[in-house]
Amino acid sequence: MDTSSSSSSASAAAPSAVTFYDFLDRMRNPASLDLVRSIKSFIVSFSFNNANPENDGKRVQEFFTTMESAIKDHPLWANATIEDIESAMEGLEKYVMTKLFSRTFASTSEDVKIDQEISEKICLLQTFLRPEHLDIPTFLQNEASWLLAEKELQKINALKAPREKVLCIMNCCRIINNLLLNASISENVELGGADDFLPVLIYIIIKANPPQLHSNIKFIQLYRRQAMLVSEAAYYFTNLVSAKTFILDLNAKSLSMEETEFEKSMQAARLANKVTLIEESTTSNGIKTLGERGYPERHDVTRIEASAMSNDRKSLEEQRGVGPSQRIYGNNTITSGGYGYPFMEAEASQLTTGDVEKLLSVYKDVVRKYTNLCRAVRHVSVPMTVTPIPHFEGNNSSFKQPATKTSASTDSKREE
């Protein structure tokens, strides 16, 4: 089954490449100059208009219909078969939509919002959802087949042509269909309907979490030639749309799961994700995702440092045993200047061998915070006014500001 799935994927991709390059070759023919002008004119005029997905989809579909008639009547396709015309149209669709991809894919803030909502919900579901929650029987739980289907679905966001995105969906669904067929034979049960197919597809989508699922579906709906979104492709695509809607609206009633258990699992997943985001923000890429301009704002740095110190205080308090901190201060933790570090006021003679492990933990904590703070400061490119350090003279409480070459300091001297 695995071999057949791979070969079907390869065989589906090969004609696509041949079709597209054949189309480009014909467009290089001087006789096709009128067609080339029409195509380029449409791309340029389309690019100048503001994004409006519904109207954009209608314009593209109308253009494809007009061009299909023009190709049929063109001398280069004088003796062409129906298959030749279809190949030319597939090539045209890929060329036009590749050129217009950045203008048409996820073109509204609403699409981006829905993509993020689905992706975040799937991330939460991944932490606890099991096949049993979707009533998937044991004999359909084939990890090898599921992994193949996931990989096919994850390819969808790397492609720009509507047909190629549909092929990813079809390859994924064919693997599921083959799994159902083989299971029905081996288990001697009747399978293959939507009631058996859809739960497996939903689970595979959750495991794969393909990026921008909503935008990919909408892109196909608007820009895949309607005459080609039929039969097997239409069936599989409709199931994908249903699976996306199910996941978006999913709650305890949608699953074989108690409502309290579902809510607890979702809450635990949200908490785990927040902890992961804080850790990634402070250690992975120097909190590069914070702030509107790609670098951390001052309040971002403060918030992250405060959160990190709060968590570390709790961790140290949990680890703290009998040592100088408790012998000297009991249960009161030094917070003024020490930020919860129990050895701030301890003397060397008061330390015991049992304090070594805690001292090492405090040392690592300080070094890590210092490193993270340095990394955060390097990413802050906002110019900040640095206040000069006052210079004290002896025991006198008065102090002098260091001399500067600014006009402001010159004026103040004149006033003196």
Side-chain angles (χ1 to χ4, degrees), residues 22 24 97 113 149 185 191 203 224 315 317 331 405:
D22 179 66
L24 293 180
M97 295 317 303
K113 180 181 176 182
I185 295 173
L191 297 170
Y203 189 69
R224 177 60 173 152
S315 176
E317 289 171 0
N331 293 326
K405 295 182 180 180

Side-chain angles (χ1 to χ4, degrees), residues 210-280:
Q212 297 179 285
L213 179 61
H214 167 76
S215 290
N216 277 290
I217 288 175
K218 189 171 182 178
F219 185 76
I220 293 170
Q221 288 174 324
L222 292 176
Y223 304 113
R224 177 60 173 152
R225 287 189 301 135
Q226 298 302 308
M228 303 305 296
L229 205 55
V230 294
S231 188
E232 183 186 23
Y235 173 75
Y236 289 147
F237 183 70
T238 301
N239 274 276
L240 184 71
V241 174
S242 300
K244 183 211 80 171
T245 304
F246 179 88
I247 293 171
L248 199 57
D249 300 332
L250 187 145
N251 53 37
K253 295 179 181 179
S254 312
L255 306 171
S256 296
M257 195 174 188
E258 294 292 334
E259 186 169 355
T260 54
E261 183 185 355
F262 177 81
E263 292 301 331
K264 285 181 180 179
S265 299
M266 290 292 283
Q267 189 62 31
R270 290 189 188 99
L271 183 60
N273 278 2
K274 286 181 180 178
V275 172
T276 302
L277 285 173
I278 291 175
E279 290 176 350
E280 288 178 353

Side-chain angles (χ1 to χ4, degrees), residues 150-164:
E150 290 168 36
K151 289 186 178 296
E152 288 296 331
L153 195 57
Q154 286 170 341
K155 295 175 184 177
I156 190 171
N157 207 50
L159 302 169
K160 295 183 178 181
R163 177 177 182 267
E164 292 173 351

